């Protein structure tokens, strides 16, 4: 999945309009400090990561934490 697609999903899940958080995510994808997820994420997983990110002020640390969340692989589900 390319960063543009991820940004579209993020905007559709959370954005009512432009925000510093969305701008920081977009810039981080552009400059390479934020990479696409290593595996497809469900909307629920992406929503959880973005809620956590938006609960804190925009900073390099919060971008790094979001990047970590996008790289994490969840535990396999039984079922």
């Amino acid at each position: 999945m390319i960063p543009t697609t991820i940004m579209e999903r993020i905007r559709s899940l959370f954005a009512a309009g432009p925000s510093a958080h969305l701008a920081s995510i977009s810039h981080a994808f552009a400059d390479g400090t934020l990479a696409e997820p290593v595996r497809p994420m469900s909307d629920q997983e992406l929503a959880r990561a973005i809620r956590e990110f938006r609960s804190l002020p925009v900073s390099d640390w919060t971008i790094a934490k979001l990047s970590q969340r996008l790289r994490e692989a969840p535990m396999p589900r039984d079922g």
Side-chain angles (χ1 to χ4, degrees):
M1 183 179 302
I2 59 174
T4 305
T5 304
I6 297 167
M7 287 302 299
E8 288 173 8
R9 286 180 65 202
I10 291 169
R11 283 187 184 102
S12 72
L13 289 169
F14 290 97
S19 77
H21 283 89
L22 287 175
S24 69
I25 291 171
S26 184
H27 292 302
F29 276 128
D31 71 17
T33 56
L34 191 60
E36 64 187 86
V38 295
R39 56 156 193 83
M41 297 178 84
S42 70
D43 283 352
Q44 183 179 15
E45 291 168 316
L46 184 57
R48 196 171 25 248
I50 296 304
R51 270 195 309 272
E52 181 181 292
F53 175 71
R54 289 181 63 181
S55 71
L56 301 168
V58 175
S59 69
D60 290 342
W61 180 83
T62 55
I63 286 289
K65 188 163 178 62
L66 178 59
S67 180
Q68 179 183 3
R69 289 292 302 271
L70 296 181
R71 288 190 315 257
E72 288 177 353
M75 298 300 292
R77 296 183 186 128
D78 293 337

